[in-house]
Amino acid sequence: MKVLVIGGGGREHAMAWKISQSPRVDRVFVAPGNVGTFFDAENIAINPLDFPKVIQFAKENKVELVAVGPEQPLCAGIVDALRSEGLRVFGPSKAAAQLEGSKIFCKNTLKAGLIPTADFATFTDADAAMDYLRNRDDLPVVVKADGLAAGKGVYVCKNREEALQAVQEMSVDMKFGQAGTKLVIEEKLDGQEASVLAITDGKTILTLPPCQDHKAAWDGDKGPNTGGMGAYCPAPLVDEKMLHWIEENILVRTVHVMNRQECPFSGVLYAGLMIGRQGVKVLEYNTRFGDPECQPLLMRLKTDLVDIMEATIDRKLDKLGTVEWDPRPTVGVVMASDGYPGKSEYGFPISGLDEVAKMPDVKVFHSGTQVNDKGEIVNAGGRVLTVTAFGDSIALAKKNAYEAVRKIRWERAWCRHDIADKAIAMEIGSN
Ligand code: AMP
Ligand code: GLY
């Protein structure tokens, strides 16, 4: 069969790479893809938001499964648009993707399901938000733009002044465009974050092994927020007992409330969690695989991803049987361009990829890469590669990933050096 993956980041490279391993698949197309998917699949130059073009391509090429990676096309309704043309698509409908596309919708859904989350208030104008901040205790709060802002629309504020400034930037200066017209202001939670992803058909929930991302730019979780600088799987912070609790008290309830709200959820339900003294609370929902979590996660998946996606579309996840995972943990380190998450310079040739391709148990997933007119692979985005490796322990997976990272070079490339250290500290502690 032929499969079309929508998107062009590290997540979509991992999805296309895994899907291409299915014995049932002859061709995998990626729209628009990147250099990694050029080698592991076939790129097609179509913008994911150009639905008529996507539909035309899928029909002309007899695509039997479309798998959507990023949130923008999901929130814009790609699944509804393609389904209405008779295509089979893995991902949530536009209505269900609001769980990610609107933080107000997400918080109200959590509240309706009695699902643990930070206390919050919602605002539809800046004046009301500022009045609220002036009239409450000067506690740390988190100000969030309601709409999609590429992970940047969340400000954790130490005091009232910072919070007022956040409201000013989001709702008055409109730093994130329309995304900031409405706001959520919520209690700041403390603890460690984990990502628990599940695949659901709206009836059955397949909870995947927990992961941990590293959202801050620099070592020790310092510096500005990014799209994610590295991830590993599984995350020992979420042990089996806790995972079961999360499934029962968070995932099941969410799927149930979504059904009750008449926007049944189908696809990847990704709970961003804070685990601390207050217990486990939901920070946010995403409605797709995480990037970079997807890379270490899918590297461990042994069951055919196409079977899982088709069972989800057909609402037959209950018939899928046991999903198998490689028992070895994986660690993925993001290599970024100088300046990321701010402005970066692009076009520097990347060396070492051929050498790393020969390393066993290592896979390099591409995000911001391009081929220049000399045929060299160059950096072309903030996050450039996710260098992902297996190991017999998390510590060994980290060692293997960084061994590969050291072989890859371009001018002013950088990465965090402490990916998975929190888990390694727990591994050592438990021995
Ligand atoms: P979100 O997009 O809602 O996940 O927020 C992005 C990041 O902001 C999270 O990964 C957390 O690091 C941080 N964050 C969001 N909400 C809170 C909160 N209530 N308390 C503390 N940190 C938060
Ligand atoms: N890794 C965070 C995200 O995908 O939103």
Side-chain angles (χ1 to χ4, degrees):
M1 69 191 278
K2 293 176 193 162
V3 181
L4 170 61
V5 175
I6 302 289
R11 163 185 47 218
E12 290 77 24
H13 186 190
M15 288 165 71
W17 172 77
K18 184 51 74 178
I19 288 169
S20 69
Q21 291 166 10
S22 166
R24 299 175 50 208
V25 170
D26 329 295
R27 290 177 81 179
V28 182
F29 305 106
V30 190
N34 56 40
V35 179
T37 57
F38 171 81
F39 286 113
D40 288 334
E42 295 174 56
N43 289 347
I44 52 163
I46 293 178
N47 177 344
L49 294 172
D50 189 345
F51 301 163
K53 280 244 171 71
V54 175
I55 290 165
Q56 190 190 352
F57 177 88
K59 285 189 169 174
E60 281 177 7
N61 290 278
K62 302 199 166 39
V63 166
E64 285 175 63
L65 170 66
V66 182
V68 186
E71 61 274 24
Q72 293 84 357
L74 290 172
C75 291
I78 193 169
V79 172
D80 314 64
L82 271 58
R83 280 206 185 130
S84 69
E85 293 289 329
L87 294 162
R88 284 164 63 74
V89 198
F90 176 82
S93 67
K94 182 177 182 175
Q98 284 182 89
L99 210 45
E100 172 159 9
S102 163
K103 297 219 185 271
I104 295 180
F105 178 89
C106 177
K107 294 297 288 192
N108 287 335
T109 301
L110 292 167
K111 195 168 152 185
L114 303 176
I115 297 157
T117 189
D119 284 338
F120 70 101
T122 62
F123 301 93
T124 50
D125 69 86
D127 288 343
M130 288 191 183
D131 276 349
Y132 169 85
L133 287 169
R134 288 195 191 97
N135 289 324
R136 56 173 282 149
D137 288 340
D138 192 16
L139 294 170
V141 290
V142 183
V143 180
K144 301 184 173 186
D146 177 55
L148 290 183
K152 296 185 184 121
V154 174
Y155 289 16
V156 179
C157 307
K158 284 194 285 296
N159 51 43
R160 181 181 296 134
E161 231 162 63
E162 280 187 21
L164 288 169
Q165 179 61 29
V167 174
Q168 172 75 29
E169 284 182 25
M170 290 181 197
S171 291
V172 182
D173 305 341
M174 305 297 275
K175 191 166 171 186
F176 307 110
Q178 291 305 310
T181 39
K182 296 185 207 158
L183 297 172
V184 171
I185 299 183
E186 68 179 33
E187 162 201 16
K188 177 178 178 295
L189 301 174
D190 294 309
Q192 258 202 68
E193 286 177 53
S195 309
V196 171
L197 284 74
I199 294 178
T200 179
D201 56 9
K203 226 170 44 173
T204 304
I205 296 172
L206 176 67
T207 305
L208 311 180
C211 306
Q212 192 171 50
D213 186 12
H214 296 67
K215 292 216 171 96
W218 306 327
D219 287 14
D221 292 333
K222 303 271 186 329
N225 220 15
T226 71
M229 295 303 298
Y232 60 92
C233 176
L237 172 68
V238 181
D239 61 18
E240 208 142 309
K241 195 167 151 224
M242 192 188 283
L243 193 61
H244 191 71
W245 187 93
I246 290 165
E247 192 172 272
E248 248 182 42
N249 295 282
I250 294 178
L251 301 173
V252 168
R253 289 189 199 178
T254 303
V255 168
H256 179 60
V257 185
M258 291 297 279
N259 282 331
R260 261 186 10 220
Q261 290 177 168
E262 290 178 21
C263 42
F265 194 92
S266 173
V268 179
L269 185 60
Y270 160 156
L273 304 171
M274 184 70 92
I275 300 163
R277 267 172 298 143
Q278 324 93 326
V280 182
K281 293 199 177 184
V282 178
L283 287 176
E284 64 161 351
Y285 265 121
N286 295 321
T287 58
R288 47 162 177 90
F289 284 116
D291 190 343
E293 289 97 324
C294 183
Q295 293 85 311
L297 184 68
L298 288 191
M299 200 151 149
R300 294 188 57 220
L301 178 66
K302 289 172 94 170
T303 301
D304 192 333
L305 182 56
V306 172
D307 290 347
I308 299 177
M309 288 178 162
E310 290 207 310
T312 306
I313 294 170
D314 296 332
R315 302 198 79 204
K316 285 186 182 153
L317 265 181
D318 56 338
K319 304 281 189 307
L320 185 73
T322 314
V323 172
E324 290 193 45
W325 299 90
D326 192 308
R328 293 172 299 163
T330 41
V331 171
V333 177
V334 171
M335 296 184 75
S337 299
D338 188 33
Y340 177 75
K343 243 176 96 125
S344 314
E345 251 187 87
Y346 303 145
F348 299 115
I350 303 173
S351 64
L353 290 170
D354 289 342
E355 201 185 332
V356 169
K358 292 185 205 124
M359 291 174 73
D361 298 334
V362 175
K363 176 72 188 170
V364 176
F365 296 105
H366 291 234
S367 315
T369 53
Q370 255 173 20
V371 175
N372 68 10
D373 42 20
K374 289 191 222 148
E376 298 163 321
I377 299 175
V378 298
N379 70 321
R383 292 191 294 173
V384 180
L385 305 168
T386 311
V387 181
T388 313
F390 280 115
D392 287 333
S393 62
I394 298 176
L396 288 171
K398 176 188 172 187
K399 182 168 166 278
N400 291 341
Y402 279 100
E403 220 172 276
V405 164
R406 277 194 297 276
K407 295 184 199 292
I408 299 172
R409 285 279 170 276
W410 71 89
E411 216 171 300
R412 299 199 295 277
W414 65 281
C415 64
R416 271 182 70 156
H417 298 95
D418 61 347
I419 302 305
D421 277 1
K422 289 187 203 114
I424 294 167
M426 290 182 78
E427 265 186 342
I428 294 167
S430 67
N431 283 336

